[in-house]
């Protein structure tokens, strides 16, 4: 197993948000977690990435057989956990290329690989930019500086393409995207499905799953997964809304 | 090979050929300041009469002046009678004999900054008799400069060899009575740099104090005078990214720049004097008066500074925009950590028509440090269509430090336009987390964010200086987060 979450409890500001969550992801699988607002979707993503304010109070998370919760956020990233942020931050004056080169080299160092040389790196990221239909001028711009909402999201997927993680957690990457941008993002994700890389897609809406076909769909409500199924579960949700399934669960 | 060695020996020996340093090796004047001391300084330096008169006049002004206290600084009083105003090059008896005797922490810093080995010894104050590389390099460069007609020498040499230029320009930008510290400097300065770029000459290289032969002994009251004659250009670099040790606590330098018609001066500073220990003990007080005079039409003066060292930094590199269509620029990064204090900024005095000025100031505070930007934009009634743009950004790290912005504006011409933008931000947790989520260590993430914040200023620095400045920033903020 790549990721095994066992009875996870997590709090934000002393309020328990995740209340005993179990989830197992095998290499190459695409899992979608859906749920109404406030169900704990983003908290799960942040807690897995190791954000300080998201306090894990109970349970365990094993990643590649290691205790994920015991690792610093940057160590998790270097071990191949990638979080596509719901709200990517701007870092003025730091170019995309600069951040990515530092990030990529940190990851390579972890794997015992030598630093990538500048020319090879530029060739590499230009290919990846093409994949994401990202204009090359984005590469030299400040990280997310003055980007539109859609550009920020596309940039997240581009970064994922460059860093080639083993587990990509995409937190509401589809929100705020028009249909064309959604297709570009979905296309970028699909091109990175290689049978080894695993994805955890966190979304409120079913429409993302029209373009990225998941292996498993889970419904998260009140901090727990209340139902799991195949991609048909997502369609069912789309048709009946969350109310029915929530009522059935309670 | 033999002849090469002879050459080196020649060059090394030449350092002493003026006999100036060797003669006074044993001299030190007792602490205290009165007219006699000033007469003595002037005599020891063999100065012409006008220089002594000038010093004495400054001293008279200084005696009637009060030490200013308006800056947002906390410090102990300075006992001016406890300072020795003339000391020969420091006796080498107390100096470390080799790098093995130097504080390992200092050496570690040199390493991080990538300071060349032969430079480390000089910077750490090791008693070396000759620094072969820099002396020979300096000699080669001097030749090249002479061919272009550029005068670049120590202030003492200028007083002897070019008294007419010194007399004509000295004190015309920063008069003796300009302020308390400038008056003191005018009375007692011992050395510094002198640059004259003749009409229409583009100085063929960046002038750096790094290559200045007498750099080690300029002392605590340094005087710099740079004159760019009509249509000339010069870029001057002052300072060094390596931490510099000095026994003198008070540094009160004066820098005067004069740009004649169509001339341009670019002055870059990296200041990294000893800031004191973590409790601020023993750090340098850096009270400097720097001013440039855009005397001629279409002239331009640009200040770029990276202020990382000193316990207290108190300085306002300024531009007097006298000529029509003249341009003044100020780009500054001031970083303060631990108990460091900085009160720095600029003055842009618009007198001529269509004058333009730009101010970009970046203040970074960490630890318990206080960082203030203080700037004046003044538009005279004559300053038709003058423009100013100011941007002052502060970055706070942790919650025990402070950032302050004091913009002053005096606009006396209705056609003038002034824009001011100021921001204060903390290194946001979400920025840090974002970088760490991409695999960067916390320290690397902080460095990256800070360097991004300073980018607009760093890109004004000459290339190799910019790289050093980045490294300096990282070292200065070590341990500031976490």
């Amino acid at each position: 197993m790549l990721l095994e979450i066992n009875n996870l409890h997590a709090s934000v500001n002393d309020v328990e948000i995740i209340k005993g969550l179990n989830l197992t992801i095998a290499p190459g699988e695409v899992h979608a977690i859906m749920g109404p607002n406030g169900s704990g979707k983003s908290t799960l993503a942040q807690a897995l990435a190791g954000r300080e304010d998201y306090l894990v109070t109970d349970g365990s998370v094993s990643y590649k057989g290691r205790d994920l919760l015991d690792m610093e956020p940057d160590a998790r990233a270097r071990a191949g956990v990638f979080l596509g942020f719901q709200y990517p931050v701007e870092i003025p004056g730091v170019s995309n290329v600069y951040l990515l080169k530092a990030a990529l080299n940190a990851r390579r160092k972890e794997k015992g690989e030598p630093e990538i040389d500048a020319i090879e790196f530029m060739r590499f990221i230009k290919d990846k930019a093409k994949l994401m239909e990202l204009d090359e001028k984005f590469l030299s711009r400040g990280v997310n500086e003055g980007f539109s909402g859609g550009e920020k999201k596309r940039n997240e997927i581009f970064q994922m393409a460059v860093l080639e993680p083993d587990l990509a957690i995409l937190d509401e990457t589809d929100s705020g995207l028009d249909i064309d941008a959604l297709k570009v993002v979905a296309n970028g994700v699909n091109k990175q499905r290689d049978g080894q890389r695993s994805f955890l897609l966190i979304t409120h809406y079913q429409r993302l799953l029209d373009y990225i076909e998941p292996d498993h769909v889970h419904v998260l409500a009140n901090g727990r997964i209340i139902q799991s199924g195949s991609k048909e579960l997502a369609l069912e949700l789309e048709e009946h809304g969350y109310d029915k399934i929530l009522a059935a669960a309670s | 090979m033999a002849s090469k060695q002879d050459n080196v020996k020649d060059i090394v020996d030449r350092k002493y050929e003026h006999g100036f340093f060797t003669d006074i090796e044993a001299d030190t004047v007792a602490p205290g300041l009165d007219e006699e001391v000033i007469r003595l300084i002037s005599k020891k330096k063999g100065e012409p009469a006008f220089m002594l008169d000038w010093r004495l006049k400054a001293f008279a002004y200084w005696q009637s002046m009060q030490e200013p206290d308006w800056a947002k600084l906390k410090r102990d009083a300075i006992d001016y009678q406890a300072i020795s105003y003339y000391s020969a090059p420091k006796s080498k008896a107390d100096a470390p004999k080799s790098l093995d005797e130097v504080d390992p922490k200092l050496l570690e810093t040199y390493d991080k900054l990538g300071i060349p080995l032969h430079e480390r010894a000089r910077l750490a104050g090791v008693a070396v008799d000759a620094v072969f590389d820099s002396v020979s390099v300096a000699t080669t460069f001097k030749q090249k400069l002479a061919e272009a007609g550029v005068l670049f020498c120590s202030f003492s040499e200028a007083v002897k060899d070019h008294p007419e230029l010194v007399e004509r320009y000295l004190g015309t930008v920063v008069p003796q009575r300009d302020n308390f510290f400038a008056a003191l400097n005018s009375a007692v300065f011992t050395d510094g740099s002198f640059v004259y770029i003749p009409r229409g000459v583009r100085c063929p290289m960046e002038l750096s104090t790094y290559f200045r032969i007498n750099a080690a002994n300029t002392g605590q009251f340094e005087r710099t005078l740079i004159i760019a004659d009509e249509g000339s250009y010069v870029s001057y670099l002052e300072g060094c990214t390596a931490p510099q040790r000095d026994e003198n606590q008070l540094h009160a330098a004066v820098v005067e720049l004069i740009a004649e018609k169509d001339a341009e001066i670019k002055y870059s500073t990296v200041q990294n004097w000893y800031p004191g220990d973590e409790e601020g003990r023993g750090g340098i007080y850096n009270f400097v008066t720097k001013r440039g005079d855009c005397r001629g039409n279409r002239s331009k003066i640009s200040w770029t500074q990276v202020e990382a060292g000193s316990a207290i930094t108190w300085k306002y590199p300024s531009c007097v925009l006298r000529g029509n269509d003249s341009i003044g620029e100020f780009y500054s990064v001031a970083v303060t950590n631990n108990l460091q204090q900085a009160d720095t900024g600029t003055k842009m005095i618009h007198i001529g028509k269509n004058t333009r000025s730009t101010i970009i100031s970046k203040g970074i505070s960490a630890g318990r440090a206080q960082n203030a930007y203080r700037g004046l934009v003044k538009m005279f009634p004559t300053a038709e269509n003058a423009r100013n743009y100011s941007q002052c950004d502060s970055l706070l790290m942790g919650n025990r430090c402070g950032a302050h912005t004091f913009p002053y504006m005096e606009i006396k011409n209705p056609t003038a336009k002034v824009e001011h933008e100021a921001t204060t931000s903390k290194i946001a947790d979400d920025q840090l987390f974002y970088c760490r989520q991409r695999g960067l260590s916390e320290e690397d993430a902080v460095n990256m964010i800070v360097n991004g914040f300073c980018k607009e200023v760093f890109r004004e620095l000459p290339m190799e200086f910019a790289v050093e400045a980045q490294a300096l920033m990282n070292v200065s903020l070590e341990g500031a987060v976490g």
Side-chain angles (χ1 to χ4, degrees):
Chain A
M1 278 304 130
L2 180 71
L3 185 78
E4 284 185 85
I5 305 175
N6 226 317
N7 188 33
L8 187 74
H9 290 255
S11 309
V12 182
N13 295 327
D14 291 332
V15 178
E16 185 166 70
I17 308 286
I18 302 289
K19 302 168 180 173
L21 184 142
N22 298 295
L23 180 66
T24 303
I25 300 178
E29 287 182 349
V30 176
H31 289 242
I33 290 197
M34 304 181 68
N37 290 329
S39 58
K41 299 189 301 286
S42 282
T43 301
L44 174 65
Q46 300 279 343
L48 290 176
R51 180 126 201 190
E52 217 171 306
D53 309 332
Y54 295 74
L55 197 66
V56 173
T57 51
D58 201 4
S60 66
V61 180
S62 154
Y63 170 76
K64 294 184 183 172
R66 295 170 71 182
D67 179 0
L68 188 75
L69 301 177
D70 196 39
M71 296 159 75
E72 290 289 317
D74 41 306
R76 298 181 196 195
R78 290 193 296 270
V81 177
F82 178 91
L83 172 63
F85 285 77
Q86 185 178 2
Y87 304 109
V89 295
E90 300 192 4
I91 310 177
V94 175
S95 72
N96 250 333
V97 174
Y98 193 74
L99 172 67
L100 274 177
K101 187 156 181 251
L104 185 63
N105 278 330
R107 185 132 158 70
R108 287 171 74 107
K109 198 175 164 194
E110 186 90 357
K111 290 196 264 187
E113 295 169 7
E115 289 201 352
I116 190 164
D117 82 78
I119 295 167
E120 196 189 331
F121 175 73
M122 283 315 289
R123 200 178 300 139
F124 177 66
I125 62 166
K126 279 182 181 170
D127 285 349
K128 297 290 186 182
K130 212 174 277 170
L131 181 82
M132 281 312 301
E133 299 175 36
L134 208 61
D135 197 311
E136 274 183 26
K137 70 173 191 277
F138 273 88
L139 302 179
S140 52
R141 275 169 64 179
V143 176
N144 294 320
E145 204 180 349
F147 286 22
S148 71
E151 287 168 342
K152 284 182 183 174
K153 295 296 176 68
R154 234 193 294 178
N155 194 27
E156 293 292 290
I157 304 302
F158 165 65
Q159 292 188 10
M160 174 175 83
V162 171
L163 297 175
E164 302 179 332
D166 300 314
L167 173 65
I169 304 163
L170 304 182
D171 188 5
E172 305 220 10
T173 299
D174 53 331
S175 66
L177 293 186
D178 62 33
I179 197 71
D180 292 329
L182 183 71
K183 279 183 189 166
V184 172
V185 165
N187 194 25
V189 171
N190 286 330
K191 282 184 184 159
Q192 293 177 60
R193 288 176 77 165
D194 60 359
Q196 279 306 305
R197 183 165 301 132
S198 305
F199 292 85
L200 182 58
L201 309 174
I202 290 174
T203 181
H204 187 83
Y205 301 105
Q206 191 272 337
R207 62 171 196 165
L208 177 69
L209 307 182
D210 288 341
Y211 301 98
I212 306 172
E213 200 172 302
D215 299 308
H216 302 275
V217 174
H218 311 276
V219 178
L220 185 68
N222 197 21
R224 280 192 201 94
I225 287 177
I226 56 167
Q227 195 171 350
S228 297
S230 62
K231 61 178 181 174
E232 279 72 32
L233 178 58
L235 295 170
E236 204 177 305
L237 276 174
E238 178 77 358
E239 202 174 322
H240 303 293
Y242 285 107
D243 292 343
K244 192 180 163 198
I245 199 167
L246 291 180
S250 63
Chain B
M1 196 63 214
S3 74
K4 196 176 174 193
Q5 271 174 357
D6 286 348
N7 273 342
V8 172
K9 194 171 175 300
D10 274 0
I11 290 157
V12 172
D13 288 345
R14 202 173 303 156
K15 191 180 176 192
Y16 297 97
E17 78 183 357
H18 300 296
F20 173 62
F21 290 112
T22 36
D23 280 350
I24 54 143
E25 191 92 47
D27 284 339
T28 314
V29 171
L33 185 56
D34 56 23
E35 248 187 64
E36 279 318 298
V37 170
I38 289 163
R39 284 178 196 282
L40 191 70
I41 292 171
S42 192
K43 188 170 169 229
K44 292 249 180 228
K45 299 177 74 63
E47 291 178 347
F50 84 86
M51 209 52 251
L52 174 63
D53 292 345
W54 200 79
R55 287 175 181 276
L56 289 173
K57 210 167 148 193
F59 181 64
Y61 287 136
W62 182 72
Q63 281 181 304
S64 68
M65 294 169 101
Q66 293 292 317
E67 191 176 330
D69 62 356
W70 44 263
K72 192 170 170 47
L73 302 170
K74 268 190 219 162
R75 61 182 172 89
D76 297 330
I78 299 164
D79 181 354
Y80 294 95
Q81 294 302 331
I83 296 171
S84 172
Y85 289 87
Y86 192 86
S87 51
K90 206 154 291 138
S91 152
K92 288 179 177 154
D94 298 337
K97 301 285 179 293
S98 72
L99 279 174
D100 297 340
E101 292 178 30
V102 172
D103 182 359
K105 244 182 157 172
L106 192 66
L107 295 179
E108 202 181 298
T109 309
Y110 289 167
D111 204 36
K112 284 179 190 154
L113 289 169
I115 306 291
L117 277 170
H118 63 269
E119 277 298 315
R120 296 182 191 186
R122 183 179 68 78
L123 292 163
V126 173
V128 282
D129 283 324
V131 182
F132 287 72
D133 285 15
S134 49
V135 171
S136 54
V137 165
T139 309
T140 322
F141 279 13
K142 276 205 145 177
Q143 217 165 357
K144 207 169 156 194
L145 290 173
E147 281 164 22
V150 171
L151 307 177
F152 178 34
C153 59
S154 74
F155 205 95
S156 305
E157 282 176 295
V159 169
K160 283 183 193 148
D161 300 344
H162 314 285
E164 70 296 340
L165 284 173
V166 173
E167 191 169 10
R168 183 168 155 208
Y169 287 103
L170 179 67
T172 60
V173 186
V174 181
Q176 293 124 309
R177 64 174 116 183
D178 187 79
N179 68 70
F180 182 84
F181 295 105
L184 179 62
N185 173 289
S186 301
V188 303
F189 73 86
T190 38
D191 218 330
S193 305
F194 176 84
V195 177
Y196 174 80
I197 315 291
R199 216 169 265 208
V201 169
R202 191 177 170 88
C203 186
M205 68 189 67
E206 315 255 7
L207 294 184
S208 166
T209 49
Y210 193 78
F211 295 116
R212 199 176 53 195
I213 290 177
N214 290 322
N217 298 311
T218 46
Q220 59 190 132
F221 301 104
E222 188 172 354
R223 189 98 199 177
T224 302
L225 179 58
I226 299 176
I227 303 141
D229 215 328
E230 289 182 16
S232 68
Y233 168 84
V234 62
S235 166
Y236 186 89
L237 317 182
E238 172 203 44
C240 181
T241 49
Q244 282 173 289
R245 294 168 69 89
D246 195 300
E247 301 304 315
N248 301 310
Q249 189 179 38
L250 173 65
H251 277 246
V254 172
V255 176
E256 295 180 278
L257 311 183
I258 294 136
E260 300 284 11
K261 204 170 78 182
D262 296 305
E264 179 177 349
I265 302 175
K266 189 170 165 56
Y267 192 105
S268 312
T269 307
V270 172
Q271 183 266 116
N272 193 17
W273 292 106
Y274 183 55
D277 63 16
E278 273 157 34
E279 294 302 315
R281 281 183 298 251
I284 300 234
Y285 293 178
N286 190 30
F287 299 165
V288 180
T289 306
K290 287 185 166 172
R291 195 173 306 150
D293 191 357
C294 283
R295 208 158 274 184
N297 293 343
R298 295 173 302 279
S299 56
K300 178 176 175 183
I301 289 179
S302 178
W303 298 99
T304 306
Q305 61 172 20
V306 176
E307 300 288 321
S310 295
I312 302 178
T313 300
W314 189 6
K315 63 181 255 195
Y316 313 93
S318 304
C319 296
V320 181
L321 302 171
R322 213 180 291 279
N324 293 336
D325 302 291
S326 61
I327 298 171
E329 292 174 339
F330 175 74
Y331 301 96
S332 169
V333 166
V335 52
T336 50
N337 198 355
N338 296 319
L339 278 174
Q340 280 180 282
Q341 306 174 70
D343 192 309
T344 183
T346 185
K347 287 188 273 185
M348 292 293 173
I349 313 294
H350 293 253
I351 299 171
K353 292 190 182 87
N354 305 315
T355 46
R356 281 173 288 153
S357 63
T358 304
I359 299 171
I360 308 284
S361 163
K362 306 276 180 179
I364 301 158
S365 319
R368 284 176 284 162
Q370 294 294 326
N371 204 325
Y373 167 82
R374 189 184 302 275
L376 168 70
V377 176
K378 187 169 182 170
M379 305 282 189
F380 273 64
T382 49
E384 287 288 319
N385 293 315
R387 299 272 180 280
N388 163 265
Y389 173 74
S390 304
Q391 182 190 328
C392 306
D393 300 323
S394 306
L395 189 67
L396 300 171
M397 300 170 70
N399 49 19
R400 291 187 303 166
C401 53
H404 316 272
T405 305
F406 305 99
Y408 304 85
M409 291 175 205
E410 289 175 36
I411 316 299
K412 301 248 165 69
N413 184 305
T415 63
K417 281 208 178 106
V418 177
E419 284 177 72
H420 180 90
E421 288 179 26
T423 65
T424 301
S425 53
K426 284 185 80 160
I427 283 202
D429 288 341
D430 51 356
Q431 285 178 329
L432 266 182
F433 181 67
Y434 190 85
C435 292
R436 294 186 76 190
Q437 211 302 307
R438 295 298 180 252
L440 274 68
S441 70
E442 186 166 35
E443 203 172 317
D444 288 347
V446 168
N447 290 343
M448 184 176 281
I449 294 166
V450 168
N451 278 314
F453 176 76
C454 300
K455 196 177 181 182
E456 284 166 283
V457 174
F458 285 169
R459 71 172 173 219
E460 296 297 326
L461 290 168
M463 188 61 183
E464 70 279 14
F465 235 35
V467 174
E468 285 179 31
Q470 275 201 19
L472 170 61
M473 208 50 48
N474 300 350
V475 171
S476 299
L477 289 171
E478 241 168 45
V481 162

